[in-house]
Amino acid sequence: MNGSGRLSPQEIADILRERIRSGELKAGDRLPTQAELAEEFGVERGTVRQALRALQEDGLLSNVSKGSPPRIAEPAPAREEPQPTMVGLAPRLTEAFAPPRVRIDAVCLTAESLMLALSEPVRHIHEGRIRPESVDVRVMLPSRDIDLAFPVPVQEGDGTDNPVHDRWLAMRNAQARVLQHNLQALRATHGIDVHVTFRALPFTPPVKLYLLNGEEALMGYYMLTRREEEWESRTLEMYDALGSHSLLFSFLKRSGRRDQAFVEESQKWFDALWETITTDLTLS
């Protein structure tokens, strides 16, 4: 209790949380009225209102209105285990293409995972299973002019020849062009208003980030590995990140206050960076 001997809003909220956790209050149950709670805890109604507001922000109450006591909310969907990018991204993109207006934002090292995963919602559009009115895709990829943190050769050359960088650049450009073509083709085939824009990052992103309609954020950490790759009749030894193997962590706004904050802050960060970077990516 606080110094006055009365329960604080936080203490009342904690008591009600414990009743929900223990099953004393179940999903769908109505809470007592504010007057009844105020009488039970020996506090003013204003204190009860603050406690209920804290429970509402935690996603524990539903049907919050002035006309009737709120109900206990259904439990938030359990967070799924993180999945490899090539497993988790395509089904989430397909769900994101269901609304009339689709907005996909991405920051990544190359467009490979996004290009491949987008083939799933594009196929659903061609099959007539979904039909968005507009699709707006914004992608930030590293500029060709920066010294990448990865991929890099195991042994540095003389400075005039960097086939590891050349290989990455060729992949970046080819994948981005395919992604752009496949989406823009929907304008001609289905009359969908499609916009695909690329901008050049002045740094190597340490993570990949996908933002789906401002409702879900998918984040994966790039894990570096030493490997060899055949490229133009040469064997390249490099430190590289296999982005398709990165585990994607999902954050859904509807899953609670913490997830909501992560999605909203990620979207603000992306929008601010997008406005700061004015250089469009050159796919050549």
Side-chain angles (χ1 to χ4, degrees):
M1 290 188 182
N2 56 34
S4 66
R6 291 190 173 187
L7 293 172
S8 68
Q10 184 61 52
E11 289 168 329
I12 294 173
D14 288 342
I15 293 171
L16 294 175
R17 281 194 193 93
E18 178 57 27
R19 292 178 183 177
I20 295 170
R21 188 201 64 77
S22 67
E24 182 180 344
L25 290 171
K26 299 179 176 61
D29 288 351
R30 284 193 182 276
L31 276 181
T33 65
Q34 291 184 16
E36 290 169 338
L37 289 172
E39 181 177 356
E40 176 186 353
F41 294 117
V43 297
E44 302 293 331
R45 289 194 188 184
T47 304
V48 170
R49 281 194 292 272
Q50 292 180 55
L52 297 183
R53 192 176 301 118
L55 295 178
Q56 181 183 357
E57 290 175 354
D58 287 344
L60 296 176
L61 300 181
S62 64
N63 194 37
V64 179
S65 67
K66 296 181 180 180
S68 60
R71 293 183 182 274
I72 306 303
E74 293 291 336
R79 185 188 298 277
E80 295 183 7
E81 291 292 322
Q83 296 177 309
T85 298
M86 296 312 299
V87 175
L89 185 56
R92 285 177 166 85
L93 281 172
T94 302
E95 291 180 8
F97 269 66
R101 300 187 180 279
V102 178
R103 188 181 77 239
I104 308 297
D105 295 328
V107 179
C108 34
L109 183 65
T110 70
E112 179 182 18
S113 297
L114 185 60
M115 174 198 72
L116 294 173
L118 278 170
S119 64
E120 188 71 6
V122 168
R123 180 175 65 84
H124 282 217
I125 290 173
H126 288 311
E127 293 175 351
R129 297 166 65 179
I130 53 177
R131 177 64 185 274
E133 298 173 4
S134 66
V135 175
D136 186 9
V137 176
R138 301 184 298 177
V139 184
M140 288 189 279
L141 300 170
S143 167
R144 64 180 298 156
D145 299 321
I146 66 172
D147 292 328
L148 291 172
F150 53 86
V152 291
V154 172
Q155 292 185 339
E156 294 290 343
D158 57 10
T160 60
D161 180 32
N162 188 344
V164 171
H165 186 276
D166 294 342
R167 169 188 166 275
W168 164 81
L169 182 60
M171 292 174 54
R172 187 206 71 172
N173 292 343
Q175 294 157 3
R177 283 195 294 264
V178 171
L179 183 154
Q180 186 177 51
H181 174 268
N182 289 347
L183 287 176
Q184 290 183 338
L186 297 175
R187 184 188 299 272
T189 57
H190 297 278
I192 298 173
D193 184 20
V194 176
H195 297 275
V196 183
T197 314
F198 297 93
R199 288 197 176 162
L201 278 175
F203 59 87
T204 308
V207 299
K208 53 171 55 182
L209 176 68
Y210 305 100
L211 299 167
L212 313 183
N213 297 325
E215 293 295 326
E216 182 175 16
L218 297 165
M219 185 186 72
Y221 293 95
Y222 284 117
M223 303 299 291
L224 297 185
T225 184
R226 178 171 174 165
R227 68 190 191 92
E228 294 182 352
E229 183 79 24
E230 296 297 322
W231 175 255
E232 295 184 346
S233 303
R234 302 173 63 174
T235 301
L236 304 180
E237 290 187 89
M238 69 186 84
Y239 295 107
D240 196 10
L242 300 177
S244 61
H245 295 277
S246 298
L247 292 179
L248 283 183
F249 294 81
S250 171
F251 301 85
L252 281 165
K253 285 182 70 173
R254 66 175 182 270
S255 292
R257 184 166 54 178
R258 291 183 179 85
D259 275 32
Q260 178 178 347
F262 184 88
V263 175
E264 291 176 349
E265 290 304 314
S266 296
Q267 189 68 62
K268 288 178 183 177
W269 174 83
F270 183 96
D271 291 339
L273 186 59
W274 184 266
E275 293 301 321
T276 301
I277 298 172
T278 57
T279 305
D280 288 338
L281 201 71
T282 302
L283 300 178
S284 61

